[in-house]
C-alpha cells in the first residue's frame, strides 16, 4: 500500500475496554475513502496536524467530486480521475516541469508527485525504455488566482459535456 496523507474532520475520542484510546475522523474525500477501504487490521504510522490551506478543504473536495463526475461521462477525455486532473491542469496552464525517467520508475514517481502526465516513450541505445513526462505543481501548491483558473476550466469542461454545474458553481466560489 502506498503512503499517503489523508485529511479528515476529528469527531470524537473514546477509551475502549482495554484502556486504549480510539480516535474517530470523518473522511469525505472520494480518493481518501478509496485509500481507507484498503486498510487492513495492522499497525500504521499516523501524523496529525491542523490543516492550513489557502482554500477550503470542502472546495477541494467539491473540485474532485466534479472531476470524478466528468470521468464518468462517456465523452470525457479520460475515465481516470488523475489523468483527467492532469488534462485540466494543462488546460488551466498550471505550472509544470518536464522530466524523463525510466518506465519502471513511473509508478513510484506518480505516488510522489501525483500530477504527472506521460507524453511519450523512447528507447535508448542500451535497451532501456524511458518515459517523457510533464509534472505539474498540483492544486495544493497553487495560489488563489491559479486555483480559480483551474476551477473555471473544470467547470467549463463539465458544461461542454452537458454536466449540470449550477451546484458546483455555488460551492466552488
Amino acid at each position: 500500500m502506498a503512503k499517503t496523507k489523508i485529511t479528515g474532520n476529528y469527531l470524537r475520542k473514546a477509551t475502549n475496554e482495554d484502556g486504549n484510546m480510539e480516535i474517530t475522523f470523518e473522511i469525505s474525500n472520494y480518493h481518501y475513502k478509496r485509500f481507507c477501504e484498503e486498510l487492513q487490521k495492522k499497525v500504521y504510522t499516523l501524523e496529525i496536524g491542523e490543516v492550513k490551506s489557502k482554500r477550503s478543504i470542502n472546495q477541494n473536495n467539491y473540485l474532485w467530486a466534479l472531476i470524478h463526475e466528468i470521468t464518468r461521462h462517456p465523452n470525457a477525455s479520460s475515465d481516470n480521475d488523475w489523468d483527467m486532473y492532469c488534462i485540466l491542469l494543462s488546460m488551466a496552464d498550471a505550472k509544470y516541469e518536464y522530466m524523463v525517467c525510466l518506465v519502471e520508475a513511473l509508478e513510484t514517481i506518480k505516488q510522489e508527485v501525483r500530477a504527472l502526465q506521460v507524453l511519450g516513450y523512447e528507447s535508448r541505445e542500451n535497451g532501456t525504455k524511458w518515459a517523457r513526462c510533464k509534472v505539474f505543481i498540483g492544486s495544493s501548491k497553487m495560489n488563489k488566482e491559479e486555483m480559480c483558473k483551474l476551477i473555471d476550466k473544470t467547470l467549463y469542461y463539465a458544461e461542454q459535456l452537458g454536466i449540470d454545474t449550477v451546484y458546483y458553481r455555488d460551492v466552488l466560489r
Side-chain angles (χ1 to χ4, degrees), residues 2 4 16 21 23 30 34 40 42-43 60 65-66 70 108-109 115 124 137 144 148 165-166 172:
T4 191
N16 66 19
M21 184 173 289
I23 302 171
Y30 169 78
R34 202 170 73 198
Q40 299 172 6
K42 61 183 183 179
V43 177
N60 192 54
L66 179 55
I70 288 170
T108 302
I109 293 170
R124 301 270 169 98
I137 64 161
K144 189 174 180 177
C148 285
T165 61
V166 173
L172 289 170

Side-chain angles (χ1 to χ4, degrees), residues 82-97:
W82 282 108
D83 290 344
M84 190 70 234
Y85 175 60
C86 287
I87 291 166
L88 293 165
L89 286 169
S90 191
M91 290 172 61
D93 295 321
K95 294 176 187 168
Y96 62 88
E97 295 285 336

